[in-house]
Amino acid sequence: MKLYDQIFNVVKQFKKLFSPGPVTNADVSGSITAEIFIIVSLVLAALLLRHVSVLLAGLVTLILAVVLISNIPLIPKFKIEQEDSLEKMLFYAVITLAIIVTFIYWGGNLV
Amino acid sequence: MNELIPLMVIVPLMAALLISAFSKFNKATKVFAFVVALCLPVIPIASHYGLHYFGGYAPVMDNVTNVMYHPAITYSFTFLQQIFIAMLGLLTFLVVFIYLTKYKKVSGPYLFLLFLGTAAVTAMLLTDDIFHMFVFFEILALAQVGIVAASSIDYSYEMALKYMVLGSIGSPMMLLGIGFLLALTGSVNVTDIAAAVHNGLVDATSPVFLLSLGLIFFGWLYASGLPPFHTIKSGIYSKAEPHGAALLQSFTVVSMISIVLIMFRIYSSLPIFEVLVVFFSILAMILGVSLALTQTDFRRMIGFLAVGELGFIGLGIGLGTQYAITAGLFQALNEIIITALLFIGFGAIVNATDEVDTRKLGGLLAYHPKVSIMLLIAGLAMAGVPPLSGFQSKLMLVQASLNCGFPEISILAIMVSIATFVVFVKTYYTMFLKPKPNELELEKKEVPRTMIFAMGVLLIIVILLGVFPDIVTAGISNFVGGIL
Amino acid sequence: MAQTQLAILFTSAALVVIGLYSAIFIDNIIKKIIGISFIEEGANLFIVAIGYKPGGVVPILMPGMDTSWFATNAAYPLPFGLVLTSIVIGASTLAVMLALVMVLYRRYGTLSTSVMLADTSKQEEYDE
């Protein structure tokens, strides 16, 4: 029953995503699809780590699955992080630049 | 007839300048723009394959080291360039045609931007010179900003400025990367750089070389709108006029493949290059499609879908085999056509209803049956339903990743296709099939006939490529064999 | 001397870092644009520094010069040509950005990025 309540709460929280304005059936079902899609695809993408190390892939997949499922609803959080304000966009652009450069400079020959 | 090769860039560029200079003669401008736009797809088809050296400086052989140097800016024109430039020309023609018939008084500067963007993208695709590519990449960014800012949609200036500010971080980084390559090899010609890297004249494991990869890669992310630039890319699509957005997405796709092919030729010996491309492609697929599922503005929804589909192209390039790259490039060609079709089709709906929120729309099937049927086929093609063109390229991609030993990527690609299908069915249902809301007033507005014509032309290509993919894939496969 | 080149390289690195800092942390859009144009200038300066040659001469072949002496002593001309193009593009980009800022300033009456370029998707989606 607990999981059921949790999922019901998720649907309620989707209402905030579409406010102001009415929340239609199609929008909520789309959001639930996105929720499931994001969990499954991220876990599936984590499986790609098995080409580096099988143990690491198993660990990361399990941890990622537990973290993602216990944190539903994910879509409102994802959407807030990817809104249209320039500050968020610049922040993520510069962070990505830093990660790419760091990763390539010190780890470029390890792959 | 290799003189036609530079003309592919010069004709739209000169046309752009002339149109903006003489835009007060309305009638003459219209006729001139129409004729030039008609020429654009014809020139690449009439031209022969070959190389063009600007200034006539042919490559010189260094007798001491036995190395070939290219002193001139070189344009190379093969089947890949031919098919993409012809498709781009056709799209430009359709977009200019729609624009010319939509308004009685045409705006010279807007036509200038359309032609300028086409010229810039054509040059990026043709050139064999990495700095020349950067110059046209910057010109393209200016043209894109102009097309967005020229639309009369709310908040278009804000979106254009955001794109520009992000661009002024992305493109200097690319310039820095090019500077590193120049410092290492003393040349900006891609063939020379690639030869220096593959002959061992440049240490491929040196930090400077790796850093140049990272910086050019960041510029590529900005050019192609992969994460973290997916929000701004979908934003500028939704803030441009629909026919402008159809052209903008083709600019994005073509600049993406032209830069990634140059990067592939230089960095293909580094395994980390392929890891990076695959990583960002997967991220783009997941984020693009999941955000598209939650949108209520259908222009934004197609914008996110277009970004998500870009991941498929990157996936093909990142897998790195001949079959995979062929599949990726074929997917790029399909995406240009299908997304343009979707943008023009949904643009026709905006034109007829003045409404972009799917929650306020409904029951349009009865009012615009032609548009809705064509949109349905386009959406199915994007989701990869046989026998349409999207199916062929996605099937090739799934097979390629299975052959490379990555079944996870195949499953992911199929899942993303299914999610794309869900996005499309959801939007199609809310816009066309569900009962018409009472507040929605359809003022007997007709969809312009030119839009129907443009959609019909693109739809024929989609079906043709779906039934006979070999006419394109065989030539692309030959090209890929040449750069591997 | 090579120290000159090193100093130029340090300056260009500093310009890029200052530009990235201002992109994130400065709120005033004009200041932000000035900071961002530092990145472009840093990249240009870096490319100029590549062409530097200690004790080199200007790469113009004057009449009466010995060709082989010229070939060993002239500075590398390609980076200068590239930077010239790049500066022109940078200037036009800057002009377009500032023009957009002017239009937006007239509309909003402020130069604050967090007001002018905030998230707009909510307002426009469902306005009656």
Side-chain angles (χ1 to χ4, degrees):
Chain A
M1 258 343 245
K2 205 163 172 234
L3 190 66
Y4 177 80
D5 285 342
Q6 203 180 353
I7 291 173
F8 193 67
N9 269 333
V10 167
V11 175
K12 273 190 195 159
Q13 288 198 28
F14 281 148
K15 269 182 100 167
K16 282 185 211 146
L17 260 184
F18 299 102
S19 64
V23 187
T24 61
N25 209 343
D27 286 331
V28 172
S29 52
S31 297
I32 293 175
T33 316
E35 187 86 31
I36 297 168
F37 172 75
I38 230 171
I39 293 173
V40 176
S41 55
L42 283 179
V43 170
L44 204 60
L47 269 182
L48 275 173
L49 278 174
R50 80 189 163 90
H51 294 279
V52 182
S53 145
V54 177
L55 188 67
L56 184 69
L59 272 178
V60 170
T61 312
L62 276 178
I63 294 171
L64 198 66
V66 170
V67 168
L68 288 180
I69 291 175
S70 58
N71 268 317
I72 50 175
L74 296 165
I75 286 295
K77 293 168 196 159
F78 265 70
K79 236 184 148 181
I80 288 169
E81 287 309 308
Q82 296 172 75
E83 61 178 28
D84 278 355
S85 78
L86 182 71
E87 286 164 359
K88 288 229 165 93
M89 290 180 186
L90 272 175
F91 175 74
Y92 280 106
V94 175
I95 287 284
T96 312
L97 175 67
I99 291 174
I100 288 178
V101 168
T102 319
F103 179 62
I104 283 192
Y105 193 86
W106 277 284
N109 291 319
L110 298 180
V111 178
Chain B
M1 280 215 297
N2 280 355
E3 288 72 22
L4 282 179
I5 295 176
L7 277 187
M8 287 171 219
V9 180
I10 293 169
V11 166
L13 212 54
M14 281 308 291
L17 293 174
L18 286 175
I19 287 171
S20 104
F22 297 105
S23 59
K24 60 180 175 183
F25 306 108
N26 193 27
K27 189 101 183 179
T29 308
K30 270 188 166 180
V31 173
F32 181 65
F34 183 79
V35 171
V36 172
L38 199 58
C39 287
L40 289 180
V42 176
I43 300 173
I45 291 173
S47 172
H48 292 291
Y49 301 146
L51 297 168
H52 180 85
Y53 305 109
F54 275 90
Y57 299 106
V60 285
M61 187 80 154
D62 187 346
N63 289 327
V64 186
T65 53
N66 258 343
V67 181
M68 193 85 113
Y69 290 105
H70 294 76
I73 290 173
T74 311
Y75 275 3
S76 93
F77 182 66
T78 62
F79 178 77
L80 181 87
Q81 278 89 0
Q82 184 178 37
I83 188 85
F84 272 99
I85 293 172
M87 206 54 78
L88 200 67
L90 180 68
L91 205 56
T92 314
F93 165 67
L94 293 174
V95 167
V96 168
F97 189 40
I98 291 172
Y99 176 73
L100 288 179
T101 48
K102 190 175 174 189
Y103 296 102
K104 203 160 254 166
K105 174 105 180 70
V106 296
S107 143
Y110 190 71
L111 282 169
F112 165 80
L113 292 166
L114 293 181
F115 281 118
L116 187 71
T118 307
V121 167
T122 310
M124 282 175 76
L125 199 56
L126 282 172
T127 186
D128 197 29
D129 183 298
I130 194 165
F131 189 80
H132 192 77
M133 184 208 70
F134 171 77
V135 170
F136 276 103
F137 167 64
E138 287 271 32
I139 293 174
L140 175 67
L142 283 175
Q144 283 175 323
V145 167
I147 291 174
V148 175
S151 80
S152 50
I153 300 168
D154 292 347
Y155 301 109
S156 66
Y157 284 111
E158 284 89 338
M159 201 55 93
L161 184 58
K162 284 174 199 169
Y163 186 68
M164 207 126 220
V165 170
L166 284 169
S168 30
I169 293 181
S171 38
M173 288 303 148
M174 197 172 188
L175 183 62
L176 263 183
I178 293 171
F180 281 131
L181 276 183
L182 178 65
L184 279 173
T185 60
S187 171
V188 284
N189 186 284
V190 180
T191 311
D192 287 355
I193 297 173
V197 173
H198 293 303
N199 296 339
L201 291 176
V202 174
D203 180 13
T205 57
S206 75
V208 180
F209 189 65
L210 288 170
L211 207 54
S212 75
L213 166 62
L215 294 171
I216 296 181
F217 189 85
F218 185 76
W220 176 66
L221 289 182
Y222 162 69
S224 54
L226 296 180
F229 296 105
H230 59 298
T231 38
I232 186 69
K233 212 62 177 187
S234 60
I236 66 163
Y237 293 157
S238 67
K239 290 288 173 282
E241 297 271 343
H243 52 267
L247 207 52
L248 281 181
Q249 62 83 24
S250 74
F251 292 166
T252 306
V253 174
V254 176
S255 58
M256 171 184 188
I257 62 161
S258 51
I259 300 175
V260 84
L261 282 177
I262 286 178
M263 286 201 317
F264 185 84
R265 283 163 65 191
I266 297 174
Y267 298 106
S268 60
S269 57
L270 292 173
I272 192 170
F273 167 65
E274 289 162 4
V275 173
L276 275 178
V277 174
V278 169
F279 176 78
F280 279 95
S281 304
I282 290 178
L283 209 58
M285 278 155 59
I286 296 173
L287 292 181
V289 174
S290 62
L291 283 171
L293 273 167
T294 61
Q295 297 300 319
T296 48
D297 175 346
F298 60 80
R299 287 174 313 188
R300 199 64 195 262
M301 189 270 305
I302 320 166
F304 274 119
L305 267 192
V307 173
E309 296 292 300
L310 286 176
F312 282 97
I313 308 169
L315 215 55
I317 310 280
L319 288 172
T321 61
Q322 182 172 2
Y323 191 67
I325 298 177
T326 311
L329 293 174
F330 185 37
Q331 166 74 18
L333 187 68
N334 290 336
E335 192 186 330
I336 289 178
I337 305 162
I338 298 169
T339 319
L341 180 46
L342 284 178
F343 270 119
I344 294 174
F346 282 109
I349 300 296
V350 180
N351 214 19
T353 60
D354 283 333
E355 188 56 69
V356 294
D357 196 326
T358 49
R359 289 171 289 184
K360 293 184 189 168
L361 290 168
L364 291 169
L365 184 63
Y367 295 87
H368 304 290
K370 276 187 215 153
V371 176
S372 53
I373 295 292
M374 284 198 259
L375 271 178
L376 181 64
I377 299 176
L380 293 181
M382 188 177 230
V385 173
L388 302 162
S389 63
F391 165 72
Q392 298 286 359
S393 54
K394 286 189 178 174
L395 183 69
M396 280 174 83
L397 273 168
V398 169
Q399 281 177 347
S401 57
L402 278 178
N403 290 344
C404 294
F406 296 106
E408 305 94 331
I409 293 182
S410 305
I411 301 171
L412 206 62
I414 295 170
M415 268 179 50
V416 173
S417 297
I418 296 172
T420 310
F421 189 71
V422 173
V423 177
F424 192 75
V425 167
K426 170 185 160 250
T427 316
Y428 196 80
Y429 165 75
T430 47
M431 286 174 69
F432 292 99
L433 301 178
K434 84 169 182 209
K436 187 170 88 71
N438 289 333
E439 308 94 71
L440 183 66
E441 287 168 18
L442 291 167
E443 313 127 5
K444 289 284 163 250
K445 263 196 202 164
E446 280 301 304
V447 173
R449 225 177 275 151
T450 44
M451 278 191 166
I452 305 265
F453 167 73
M455 289 172 76
V457 170
L458 294 172
L459 200 62
I460 289 169
I461 301 174
V462 167
I463 294 171
L464 204 67
L465 283 180
V467 181
F468 307 107
D470 290 346
I471 44 176
V472 177
T473 49
I476 295 180
S477 185
N478 276 339
F479 168 82
V480 174
I483 63 165
L484 270 179
Chain C
M1 289 298 130
Q3 271 103 6
T4 320
Q5 196 172 16
L6 207 60
I8 297 174
L9 289 178
F10 271 121
T11 316
S12 67
L15 281 172
V16 172
V17 172
I18 292 170
L20 287 178
Y21 172 84
S22 70
I24 299 187
F25 292 105
I26 293 183
D27 189 52
N28 186 316
I29 186 76
I30 300 271
K31 287 182 187 168
K32 197 186 272 254
I33 287 175
I34 293 173
I36 284 171
S37 70
F38 275 18
I39 306 178
E40 177 105 28
E41 304 310 326
N44 288 341
L45 196 59
F46 171 73
I47 296 182
V48 170
I50 295 170
Y52 176 76
K53 182 174 188 153
V57 297
V58 181
I60 301 170
L61 184 61
M62 303 298 273
M65 258 186 197
D66 182 22
T67 349
S68 58
W69 178 86
F70 177 76
T72 48
N73 280 293
Y76 190 41
L78 184 61
F80 305 133
L82 301 186
V83 163
L84 210 57
T85 323
S86 167
I87 287 173
V88 173
I89 297 171
S92 51
T93 314
L94 199 62
V96 174
M97 266 200 281
L98 291 174
L100 284 172
V101 170
M102 271 172 65
V103 174
L104 289 178
Y105 178 69
R106 279 187 201 140
R107 192 177 297 166
Y108 289 88
T110 171
L111 284 173
S112 165
T113 319
S114 50
V115 178
M116 191 193 267
L117 298 176
D119 180 28
T120 51
S121 56
K122 282 272 181 218
Q123 293 92 296
E124 71 197 270
E125 257 178 24
Y126 209 86
D127 40 357
E128 292 295 335

